[in-house]
Amino acid sequence: MDQPILSCPIDAEPLDRYKRGGYYPTTLGCAPANGRYKILHKIRWGGYSTVWVARDQREESYVAIKICVSEGGNDRNQRELDILKKLTSTHSSSRHIMRLLDHFDLDSPNGTHRCLVLELLGPSVPDMIEARFTDGRLPGNLAKAIAKQALLGLDLLHEQKIAHGDLHTRNLAFVMPPMDNIPEHEFIKILGKPDIGHVHRNDGRSLGPGIPEYIVRPARTCSWPLSHTIKIIDFGESFSQQNVPQTLHTPLVVRAPEVIFQDRLDYRIDLWSLGCMLFELFVGQPPFDSLFTTPKNLVDQMQQITNEALPERWQDIREKLPGGAIMESSGPGLQEWLEQVYFDGEQNADLTKEDIVKLGQIIQRLLRFEPSARASVKELLNDPWFRD
């Protein structure tokens, strides 16, 4: 039987995922976990979850609740929960890593949904840039401060041989100042009144079980009061060496080559992604072209920018990768490309040439094909450029 075509004026999570195995049909004002948490607004959505602002009515605090899809994500969901529990139990983890506060399950016509109660954080780095920096990138000193905080959070993960698995700028979120004492009606004013759009079926019939009556547009978190502290968020792709997944869904342009070539994975995949992330934090775009990128084209770009030969064990696999013909023209190397983009004349270049040369050297130590050749996070933290 064909699934009905659904429509809604709000552009958010795909409506066809409200089915068995998909999203939980959340409504504003509902109070899951035996009434403990009152849902106030949506923060964001992704392929595997929707995330909501809620009031913890027992602790009298504001929290975020990540409601996962129910489909086949049991291993993934359990892995994420186990890692967050481990990190939360580490006394120093709260400084630059999102904290888990509670968890519970919800049943719906679409299945059983794992719910993670997390500390409430503000916007991601790209959302903040879009809202507050017209030239499309962070001021140099702020980029450097955020980079160092990301290193500190990642160092804690790697000390425990945990890979984040999905490290990029969208998974760095700003911390908000304490807001728990603000009354609920005032807090909703800060969030912005929820914008909802009712869901309709194309055949005019009733929606049926598992489909929400309306969709909520995510709140504009960039208008919230913020600090300059960031935390690493979203551990849905994270893993320990005792539980390595078969595949990862890291965005292609920051994906480590060993993921593309389906080689052995460990926490050092984050080091490649970190190199890409540092490039983007300072210049406002990733080092590799994300437009029309295929695995084969991306590998070509990797070789051009790093000026490294592909390891022999990957040579035959490379020819079978999906994508267009292998590029023959040689583009700029990493340092040349970094300087070209940073000093392009249209954006504020408030760091010196010496700073950008040093940044290029640091990124070069991360963008190495062999995972064992990449600099560790601790080595970077000990670099004088980050100690200044």
Side-chain angles (χ1 to χ4, degrees):
M1 183 177 176
D2 292 338
Q3 188 175 353
I5 296 176
L6 303 171
S7 63
C8 175
I10 297 293
D11 182 21
E13 67 270 17
L15 296 173
D16 61 4
R17 294 290 304 282
Y18 281 102
K19 61 181 180 180
R20 188 73 186 172
Y23 295 117
Y24 179 82
T26 311
T27 55
L28 297 172
C30 70
N34 297 317
R36 177 172 173 179
Y37 302 104
K38 181 181 177 183
I39 301 293
L40 303 177
H41 211 316
K42 182 193 285 177
I43 308 177
R44 58 185 172 271
W45 60 271
Y48 296 95
S49 65
T50 54
V51 185
W52 302 80
V53 182
R55 179 71 173 173
D56 182 343
Q57 300 185 113
R58 190 179 81 185
E59 299 296 327
E60 298 185 337
S61 61
Y62 295 106
V63 297
I65 300 183
K66 179 178 182 178
I67 306 179
C68 301
V69 298
S70 59
E71 177 181 51
N74 291 338
D75 289 345
R76 186 178 189 273
N77 293 344
Q78 191 59 47
R79 206 167 57 234
E80 180 177 14
L81 177 59
D82 290 344
I83 283 172
L84 283 171
K85 279 181 174 178
K86 183 175 183 180
L87 293 172
T88 300
S89 68
T90 304
H91 71 280
S92 60
S93 67
S94 62
R95 180 69 178 149
H96 297 297
I97 292 177
M98 174 184 68
R99 284 184 301 128
L100 175 73
L101 305 173
D102 189 15
H103 63 92
F104 58 90
D105 289 342
L106 276 178
D107 290 324
S108 82
N110 297 335
T112 299
H113 308 259
R114 172 64 49 80
C115 301
L116 304 176
V117 182
L118 307 159
E119 64 177 315
L120 181 60
L121 298 171
S124 69
V125 167
D127 286 344
M128 174 62 78
I129 292 172
E130 183 181 351
R132 299 194 183 184
F133 299 102
T134 55
D135 67 347
R137 69 183 180 204
L138 296 167
N141 287 340
L142 180 55
K144 192 171 182 180
I146 289 171
K148 184 167 184 178
Q149 292 175 61
L151 287 171
L152 289 168
L154 197 58
D155 186 45
L156 186 87
L157 290 178
H158 288 188
E159 281 180 350
Q160 301 180 55
K161 298 294 189 286
I162 292 173
H164 183 272
D166 197 17
L167 190 68
H168 50 85
T169 55
R170 287 211 170 272
N171 282 339
L172 302 180
F174 286 90
V175 172
M176 298 190 301
M179 302 178 74
D180 292 338
N181 292 331
I182 297 175
E184 187 179 304
H185 69 280
E186 291 292 333
F187 187 70
I188 290 176
K189 281 185 182 178
I190 294 172
L191 300 180
K193 183 181 176 182
D195 183 11
I196 67 170
H198 288 274
V199 178
H200 301 280
R201 277 176 56 139
N202 63 322
D203 57 11
R205 298 169 64 184
S206 60
L207 294 174
I211 301 173
E213 178 188 344
Y214 55 82
I215 296 295
V216 182
R217 192 188 305 278
R220 290 188 56 81
T221 55
C222 294
S223 62
W224 301 0
L226 302 170
S227 69
H228 281 172
T229 302
I230 59 95
K231 293 195 177 193
I232 300 173
I233 66 169
D234 196 348
F235 289 79
E237 297 289 322
S238 301
F239 63 91
S240 67
Q241 284 311 114
Q242 291 73 43
N243 190 9
V244 181
Q246 289 187 324
T247 59
L248 288 172
H249 301 90
T250 319
L252 187 59
V253 290
V254 298
R255 193 174 298 174
E258 59 267 34
V259 180
I260 295 171
F261 288 102
Q262 299 182 318
D263 208 338
R264 181 179 178 274
L265 304 182
D266 62 27
Y267 67 95
R268 291 174 295 192
I269 61 168
D270 291 338
L271 299 173
W272 180 279
S273 298
L274 176 62
C276 298
M277 189 176 79
L278 289 177
F279 192 105
E280 184 177 351
L281 275 175
F282 286 87
V283 307
Q285 67 180 61
F288 305 114
D289 183 6
S290 60
L291 194 62
F292 309 122
T293 294
T294 64
K296 184 174 286 185
N297 289 337
L298 179 60
V299 169
D300 291 344
Q301 291 183 60
M302 288 175 172
Q303 287 188 273
Q304 287 181 2
I305 285 180
T306 63
N307 197 28
E308 278 199 338
L310 206 62
E312 190 174 332
R313 66 185 183 279
W314 294 344
Q315 293 283 358
D316 291 341
I317 303 171
R318 177 200 187 194
E319 305 304 320
K320 301 171 186 174
L321 289 173
I326 294 171
M327 292 185 289
E328 294 181 2
S329 61
S330 59
L334 174 63
Q335 189 62 48
E336 183 186 350
W337 180 229
L338 180 63
E339 292 178 22
Q340 186 177 319
V341 178
Y342 188 76
F343 297 110
D344 72 351
E346 294 183 9
Q347 295 171 299
N348 182 32
D350 58 351
L351 293 176
T352 65
K353 173 76 177 293
E354 183 183 2
D355 280 320
I356 298 305
V357 167
K358 185 60 188 174
L359 175 63
Q361 292 169 350
I362 288 170
I363 295 172
Q364 188 75 61
R365 295 167 67 191
L366 294 164
L367 296 185
R368 305 291 304 277
F369 281 125
E370 290 291 357
S372 60
R374 296 169 196 158
S376 70
V377 177
K378 207 169 286 296
E379 287 172 338
L380 298 188
L381 283 169
N382 287 328
D383 191 287
W385 197 69
F386 278 117
R387 289 208 312 266
D388 291 344

